Amino acid sequence: MEEERPALEPDASGESSWAFSGDGAAAAIASLEDLCGGGGGDGDGEGEIGWGLPLGHPGVGEEGVFPRLLEVPESSSGSAPAVAAAKAAREERSDPPAASGDAASSVSSEEPPPESDEKAADTANKTCKKGIKRTRQPRFAFMTKSEIDHLEDGYRWRKYGQKAVKNSPFPRSYYRCTNSKCTVKKRVERSSEDPSIVITTYEGQHCHHTVSYPRGGSHLHTAAALAAAQQLALSAPQLYAPPSPFTQSPSLIHPQQEQRPPSLLDRTLALPAVDEGLLGDIVSPATRNR
DNA sequence: CGATTTTGACCCGCGC
DNA sequence: GCGCGGGTCAAAATCG
């Protein structure tokens, strides 16, 4: 039963940021900073990434969980643009035009990042330089306390790569949705600070329904989460919330659905669109501030 | 037999 | 210009 329902309310300043109300917000952010060791990266603290995550420890109680959601410029600095470009080149080359074009275009077409025009233009330039139009799809990161790396989320994934990352002793795994028409990808990595934490970053939107719901009586939860996620994807494409990795703890963020706030039951945390990579690219709000 | 995973190599952009 | 790091590909291996 979802009982933890932190009040989620849009930032009064506008539509560019969302935050959970509550005293714990600060603590949550602090947790993030602590968790991430002050933001990894060799100095790419430029990334305009804002997110908070209240992980705390297992026994801290779920009420201590209240994700902070911030809209993130589609193209911030860092390696993301570069990677995106590279990715674009490859995908363009290997993916069936129908498939990639179908899903990708639908997303990119409605994803004109109003903010960060320069950077967007920069990125666009780089990609267009090769005659490839490619916009990065919204990303959403989850931090989950789990022993399992690859969490069930109702979709089928195929692993296509694994790479050791600089800031973490744990390798990062790359997964792609097995649906040929679906271009959604996800990266899974363990936190270097807390090995028990799995960071999953989803990229893109599923253009299909789940292959099968996870077993157990949690169907409704997951189904609801998926449905909500779909809604979210439609209403707020830039804040796409993927289905929860945990069957019994669908956690998604939907700023406009106050009656269905993120129910962070387990220890799954929804993070705002992480434009950069995973841990190494996490930048705490404090860092962003400077 | 088909699907998935593993793993090394390759490509690309960025920072120095 | 060079080196580094991230992301992806593709062939081989493994599994159901």
Side-chain angles (χ1 to χ4, degrees), chain A residues 104-147:
Chain A
S105 64
S106 66
V107 174
S108 57
S109 63
E110 58 185 52
E111 204 178 70
E115 64 280 281
S116 71
D117 310 70
E118 330 176 20
K119 292 185 178 180
D122 188 46
T123 302
N125 261 339
K126 286 169 183 171
T127 51
C128 285
K129 184 171 63 178
K130 299 177 183 298
I132 302 170
K133 72 169 171 82
R134 173 79 54 169
T135 13
R136 291 211 317 311
Q137 305 191 0
R139 291 183 184 179
F140 218 92
F142 279 82
M143 291 188 79
T144 307
K145 197 97 174 176
S146 172
E147 300 294 317

Short mmCIF file of all heavy atoms in Angstrom, two decimals, chain A residues 104-147:
data_model
loop_
_atom_site.label_atom_id
_atom_site.label_comp_id
_atom_site.label_asym_id
_atom_site.label_seq_id
_atom_site.Cartn_x
_atom_site.Cartn_y
_atom_site.Cartn_z
N ALA A 104 12.20 7.42 -32.22
CA ALA A 104 13.09 8.54 -31.94
C ALA A 104 12.48 9.85 -32.43
O ALA A 104 12.50 10.84 -31.72
CB ALA A 104 14.43 8.30 -32.62
N SER A 105 11.95 9.80 -33.59
CA SER A 105 11.45 11.05 -34.15
C SER A 105 10.29 11.58 -33.34
O SER A 105 10.16 12.76 -33.11
CB SER A 105 11.00 10.83 -35.59
OG SER A 105 9.93 9.93 -35.62
N SER A 106 9.47 10.67 -32.90
CA SER A 106 8.31 11.11 -32.15
C SER A 106 8.74 11.85 -30.90
O SER A 106 8.09 12.77 -30.44
CB SER A 106 7.44 9.92 -31.78
OG SER A 106 8.12 9.09 -30.87
N VAL A 107 9.81 11.42 -30.37
CA VAL A 107 10.29 12.04 -29.14
C VAL A 107 11.03 13.33 -29.45
O VAL A 107 10.77 14.36 -28.89
CB VAL A 107 11.25 11.10 -28.40
CG1 VAL A 107 11.86 11.81 -27.23
CG2 VAL A 107 10.49 9.87 -27.97
N SER A 108 11.94 13.21 -30.37
CA SER A 108 12.77 14.36 -30.66
C SER A 108 11.95 15.51 -31.23
O SER A 108 12.21 16.66 -30.97
CB SER A 108 13.85 13.97 -31.66
OG SER A 108 13.27 13.46 -32.82
N SER A 109 10.94 15.14 -31.98
CA SER A 109 10.16 16.18 -32.61
C SER A 109 9.50 17.09 -31.58
O SER A 109 9.32 18.27 -31.81
CB SER A 109 9.08 15.56 -33.48
OG SER A 109 8.20 14.81 -32.68
N GLU A 110 9.15 16.52 -30.49
CA GLU A 110 8.49 17.35 -29.50
C GLU A 110 9.44 17.64 -28.35
O GLU A 110 9.06 17.83 -27.23
CB GLU A 110 7.26 16.64 -28.97
CG GLU A 110 7.59 15.29 -28.37
CD GLU A 110 6.32 14.56 -27.99
OE1 GLU A 110 5.45 14.45 -28.84
OE2 GLU A 110 6.21 14.14 -26.84
N GLU A 111 10.65 17.68 -28.67
CA GLU A 111 11.60 17.95 -27.63
C GLU A 111 12.54 19.08 -27.99
O GLU A 111 13.74 18.93 -28.03
CB GLU A 111 12.44 16.71 -27.38
CG GLU A 111 12.99 16.76 -25.99
CD GLU A 111 13.77 15.52 -25.74
OE1 GLU A 111 14.84 15.38 -26.34
OE2 GLU A 111 13.33 14.69 -24.96
N PRO A 112 11.97 20.20 -28.26
CA PRO A 112 12.79 21.36 -28.55
C PRO A 112 13.14 22.04 -27.26
O PRO A 112 12.35 22.80 -26.75
CB PRO A 112 11.88 22.24 -29.40
CG PRO A 112 10.49 21.78 -29.08
CD PRO A 112 10.57 20.51 -28.28
N PRO A 113 14.28 21.74 -26.74
CA PRO A 113 14.69 22.33 -25.46
C PRO A 113 14.70 23.83 -25.53
O PRO A 113 15.61 24.40 -26.11
CB PRO A 113 16.10 21.78 -25.24
CG PRO A 113 16.55 21.31 -26.58
CD PRO A 113 15.32 20.95 -27.34
N PRO A 114 13.72 24.44 -24.96
CA PRO A 114 13.64 25.89 -24.96
C PRO A 114 14.81 26.50 -24.22
O PRO A 114 15.33 27.52 -24.60
CB PRO A 114 12.34 26.20 -24.24
CG PRO A 114 11.84 24.92 -23.69
CD PRO A 114 12.69 23.81 -24.18
N GLU A 115 15.17 25.85 -23.17
CA GLU A 115 16.29 26.38 -22.43
C GLU A 115 17.56 25.83 -23.03
O GLU A 115 17.55 24.88 -23.79
CB GLU A 115 16.20 26.00 -20.96
CG GLU A 115 16.29 24.53 -20.72
CD GLU A 115 14.98 23.84 -20.99
OE1 GLU A 115 14.09 23.89 -20.17
OE2 GLU A 115 14.86 23.26 -22.08
N SER A 116 18.63 26.43 -22.71
CA SER A 116 19.93 25.97 -23.21
C SER A 116 19.95 25.97 -24.72
O SER A 116 20.30 24.99 -25.34
CB SER A 116 20.23 24.57 -22.70
OG SER A 116 19.40 23.63 -23.33
N ASP A 117 19.56 27.07 -25.30
CA ASP A 117 19.54 27.15 -26.75
C ASP A 117 20.92 26.99 -27.33
O ASP A 117 21.13 26.30 -28.31
CB ASP A 117 18.98 28.50 -27.18
CG ASP A 117 17.68 28.79 -26.47
OD1 ASP A 117 17.74 29.02 -25.25
OD2 ASP A 117 16.63 28.75 -27.11
N GLU A 118 21.84 27.67 -26.70
CA GLU A 118 23.18 27.64 -27.26
C GLU A 118 23.72 26.24 -27.29
O GLU A 118 24.21 25.75 -28.30
CB GLU A 118 24.13 28.48 -26.43
CG GLU A 118 23.42 29.63 -25.76
CD GLU A 118 24.38 30.39 -24.86
OE1 GLU A 118 25.59 30.26 -25.04
OE2 GLU A 118 23.93 31.10 -23.97
N LYS A 119 23.62 25.63 -26.14
CA LYS A 119 24.18 24.28 -26.06
C LYS A 119 23.44 23.34 -26.98
O LYS A 119 24.02 22.47 -27.61
CB LYS A 119 24.10 23.79 -24.63
CG LYS A 119 25.04 24.59 -23.74
CD LYS A 119 25.07 24.04 -22.34
CE LYS A 119 26.05 24.82 -21.48
NZ LYS A 119 26.11 24.32 -20.13
N ALA A 120 22.15 23.54 -27.02
CA ALA A 120 21.36 22.69 -27.90
C ALA A 120 21.82 22.88 -29.32
O ALA A 120 22.00 21.94 -30.07
CB ALA A 120 19.89 23.06 -27.75
N ALA A 121 22.00 24.14 -29.65
CA ALA A 121 22.43 24.45 -31.00
C ALA A 121 23.79 23.84 -31.26
O ALA A 121 24.07 23.31 -32.33
CB ALA A 121 22.49 25.97 -31.17
N ASP A 122 24.60 23.92 -30.25
CA ASP A 122 25.94 23.38 -30.37
C ASP A 122 25.87 21.90 -30.67
O ASP A 122 26.49 21.39 -31.59
CB ASP A 122 26.70 23.60 -29.06
CG ASP A 122 28.15 23.21 -29.22
OD1 ASP A 122 28.75 23.60 -30.23
OD2 ASP A 122 28.66 22.52 -28.33
N THR A 123 25.08 21.24 -29.85
CA THR A 123 24.94 19.81 -30.04
C THR A 123 24.36 19.52 -31.41
O THR A 123 24.80 18.63 -32.13
CB THR A 123 24.00 19.22 -28.97
OG1 THR A 123 24.53 19.52 -27.71
CG2 THR A 123 23.89 17.73 -29.14
N ALA A 124 23.35 20.28 -31.73
CA ALA A 124 22.69 20.07 -33.00
C ALA A 124 23.69 20.25 -34.13
O ALA A 124 23.71 19.49 -35.09
CB ALA A 124 21.55 21.08 -33.15
N ASN A 125 24.51 21.24 -33.96
CA ASN A 125 25.52 21.49 -34.98
C ASN A 125 26.40 20.28 -35.18
O ASN A 125 26.66 19.86 -36.31
CB ASN A 125 26.41 22.66 -34.55
CG ASN A 125 25.94 23.93 -35.23
OD1 ASN A 125 25.27 23.87 -36.25
ND2 ASN A 125 26.28 25.05 -34.65
N LYS A 126 26.82 19.74 -34.07
CA LYS A 126 27.73 18.62 -34.15
C LYS A 126 27.09 17.43 -34.82
O LYS A 126 27.72 16.70 -35.56
CB LYS A 126 28.21 18.25 -32.76
CG LYS A 126 29.22 19.28 -32.26
CD LYS A 126 29.51 19.10 -30.80
CE LYS A 126 30.47 20.19 -30.34
NZ LYS A 126 30.63 20.20 -28.90
N THR A 127 25.82 17.25 -34.51
CA THR A 127 25.16 16.10 -35.09
C THR A 127 24.79 16.38 -36.53
O THR A 127 24.93 15.54 -37.39
CB THR A 127 23.89 15.75 -34.30
OG1 THR A 127 23.12 16.93 -34.17
CG2 THR A 127 24.24 15.22 -32.95
N CYS A 128 24.34 17.59 -36.76
CA CYS A 128 23.93 17.93 -38.11
C CYS A 128 25.13 17.94 -39.04
O CYS A 128 25.01 17.74 -40.24
CB CYS A 128 23.26 19.30 -38.13
SG CYS A 128 21.60 19.25 -37.45
N LYS A 129 26.25 18.16 -38.43
CA LYS A 129 27.47 18.21 -39.22
C LYS A 129 27.61 16.93 -40.02
O LYS A 129 28.13 16.89 -41.11
CB LYS A 129 28.66 18.38 -38.29
CG LYS A 129 29.96 18.53 -39.03
CD LYS A 129 31.05 18.92 -38.08
CE LYS A 129 31.29 17.86 -37.02
NZ LYS A 129 32.38 18.23 -36.14
N LYS A 130 27.12 15.87 -39.44
CA LYS A 130 27.22 14.60 -40.11
C LYS A 130 25.95 14.29 -40.86
O LYS A 130 25.76 13.19 -41.34
CB LYS A 130 27.47 13.50 -39.08
CG LYS A 130 28.74 13.72 -38.32
CD LYS A 130 28.86 12.63 -37.26
CE LYS A 130 30.10 12.84 -36.42
NZ LYS A 130 31.33 12.79 -37.14
N GLY A 131 25.09 15.26 -40.88
CA GLY A 131 23.85 15.04 -41.60
C GLY A 131 22.90 14.17 -40.82
O GLY A 131 21.98 13.59 -41.36
N ILE A 132 23.14 14.09 -39.56
CA ILE A 132 22.28 13.26 -38.73
C ILE A 132 21.53 14.12 -37.74
O ILE A 132 22.14 14.83 -36.96
CB ILE A 132 23.12 12.24 -37.96
CG1 ILE A 132 23.89 11.40 -38.96
CG2 ILE A 132 22.23 11.38 -37.11
CD1 ILE A 132 24.92 10.53 -38.29
N LYS A 133 20.26 14.03 -37.82
CA LYS A 133 19.49 14.80 -36.85
C LYS A 133 19.17 13.89 -35.69
O LYS A 133 18.56 12.85 -35.80
CB LYS A 133 18.22 15.33 -37.46
CG LYS A 133 17.15 14.31 -37.72
CD LYS A 133 15.85 15.01 -38.05
CE LYS A 133 14.82 14.01 -38.53
NZ LYS A 133 14.13 13.33 -37.57
N ARG A 134 19.62 14.28 -34.59
CA ARG A 134 19.41 13.42 -33.42
C ARG A 134 19.34 14.25 -32.16
O ARG A 134 20.23 15.00 -31.85
CB ARG A 134 20.56 12.43 -33.32
CG ARG A 134 20.52 11.63 -32.08
CD ARG A 134 19.54 10.51 -32.19
NE ARG A 134 19.79 9.70 -33.36
CZ ARG A 134 19.20 8.53 -33.58
NH1 ARG A 134 18.33 8.08 -32.73
NH2 ARG A 134 19.44 7.84 -34.67
N THR A 135 18.27 14.12 -31.48
CA THR A 135 18.17 14.84 -30.22
C THR A 135 18.16 13.81 -29.12
O THR A 135 17.65 12.73 -29.30
CB THR A 135 16.88 15.65 -30.14
OG1 THR A 135 16.03 15.22 -31.16
CG2 THR A 135 17.19 17.08 -30.28
N ARG A 136 18.73 14.15 -28.04
CA ARG A 136 18.79 13.19 -26.96
C ARG A 136 17.41 13.01 -26.37
O ARG A 136 16.65 13.95 -26.23
CB ARG A 136 19.77 13.65 -25.92
CG ARG A 136 21.15 13.54 -26.54
CD ARG A 136 22.21 13.25 -25.57
NE ARG A 136 22.22 13.95 -24.31
CZ ARG A 136 22.09 15.24 -24.19
NH1 ARG A 136 21.85 16.00 -25.18
NH2 ARG A 136 22.18 15.76 -23.03
N GLN A 137 17.14 11.83 -26.01
CA GLN A 137 15.85 11.55 -25.41
C GLN A 137 15.93 11.79 -23.92
O GLN A 137 17.00 11.77 -23.34
CB GLN A 137 15.47 10.11 -25.71
CG GLN A 137 15.50 9.86 -27.19
CD GLN A 137 14.86 8.53 -27.51
OE1 GLN A 137 14.41 7.83 -26.62
NE2 GLN A 137 14.83 8.18 -28.77
N PRO A 138 14.78 12.04 -23.36
CA PRO A 138 14.76 12.32 -21.93
C PRO A 138 15.29 11.14 -21.13
O PRO A 138 15.03 10.00 -21.47
CB PRO A 138 13.29 12.55 -21.63
CG PRO A 138 12.55 11.98 -22.77
CD PRO A 138 13.46 12.07 -23.96
N ARG A 139 15.96 11.46 -20.12
CA ARG A 139 16.51 10.40 -19.28
C ARG A 139 15.93 10.48 -17.89
O ARG A 139 15.57 11.54 -17.41
CB ARG A 139 18.04 10.53 -19.20
CG ARG A 139 18.73 10.23 -20.50
CD ARG A 139 20.20 10.31 -20.26
NE ARG A 139 20.95 10.12 -21.50
CZ ARG A 139 22.26 10.18 -21.57
NH1 ARG A 139 22.95 10.42 -20.50
NH2 ARG A 139 22.87 10.00 -22.70
N PHE A 140 15.92 9.37 -17.31
CA PHE A 140 15.39 9.34 -15.96
C PHE A 140 16.19 8.33 -15.17
O PHE A 140 16.37 7.20 -15.60
CB PHE A 140 13.91 8.95 -15.97
CG PHE A 140 13.14 9.71 -14.95
CD1 PHE A 140 12.52 10.90 -15.27
CD2 PHE A 140 13.07 9.24 -13.65
CE1 PHE A 140 11.82 11.61 -14.32
CE2 PHE A 140 12.37 9.96 -12.70
CZ PHE A 140 11.74 11.14 -13.03
N ALA A 141 16.65 8.73 -14.06
CA ALA A 141 17.48 7.83 -13.27
C ALA A 141 16.78 7.38 -11.99
O ALA A 141 16.02 8.13 -11.38
CB ALA A 141 18.79 8.52 -12.92
N PHE A 142 17.02 6.19 -11.64
CA PHE A 142 16.46 5.64 -10.43
C PHE A 142 17.59 5.10 -9.57
O PHE A 142 18.54 4.53 -10.08
CB PHE A 142 15.54 4.45 -10.74
CG PHE A 142 14.17 4.87 -11.15
CD1 PHE A 142 13.91 5.25 -12.45
CD2 PHE A 142 13.14 4.88 -10.23
CE1 PHE A 142 12.64 5.62 -12.83
CE2 PHE A 142 11.87 5.26 -10.61
CZ PHE A 142 11.62 5.63 -11.92
N MET A 143 17.46 5.30 -8.32
CA MET A 143 18.43 4.71 -7.42
C MET A 143 17.66 3.69 -6.60
O MET A 143 16.65 4.02 -5.99
CB MET A 143 19.05 5.77 -6.51
CG MET A 143 19.94 6.71 -7.30
SD MET A 143 20.84 7.81 -6.23
CE MET A 143 22.13 6.73 -5.68
N THR A 144 18.12 2.52 -6.63
CA THR A 144 17.39 1.47 -5.94
C THR A 144 18.29 0.64 -5.06
O THR A 144 19.39 0.27 -5.45
CB THR A 144 16.75 0.52 -6.98
OG1 THR A 144 15.99 1.30 -7.89
CG2 THR A 144 15.85 -0.47 -6.30
N LYS A 145 17.79 0.41 -3.91
CA LYS A 145 18.54 -0.42 -2.99
C LYS A 145 18.24 -1.86 -3.36
O LYS A 145 17.14 -2.35 -3.14
CB LYS A 145 18.06 -0.14 -1.56
CG LYS A 145 19.03 -0.63 -0.53
CD LYS A 145 19.91 0.52 -0.09
CE LYS A 145 20.79 0.08 1.07
NZ LYS A 145 21.72 1.14 1.46
N SER A 146 19.19 -2.49 -3.92
CA SER A 146 18.92 -3.86 -4.35
C SER A 146 20.21 -4.65 -4.53
O SER A 146 21.27 -4.11 -4.81
CB SER A 146 18.16 -3.84 -5.67
OG SER A 146 18.05 -5.14 -6.18
N GLU A 147 20.06 -5.92 -4.34
CA GLU A 147 21.20 -6.81 -4.52
C GLU A 147 21.34 -7.15 -6.00
O GLU A 147 22.39 -7.53 -6.48
CB GLU A 147 20.99 -8.10 -3.73
CG GLU A 147 20.83 -7.87 -2.24
CD GLU A 147 22.10 -7.33 -1.62
OE1 GLU A 147 23.18 -7.86 -1.96
OE2 GLU A 147 22.03 -6.40 -0.82
#
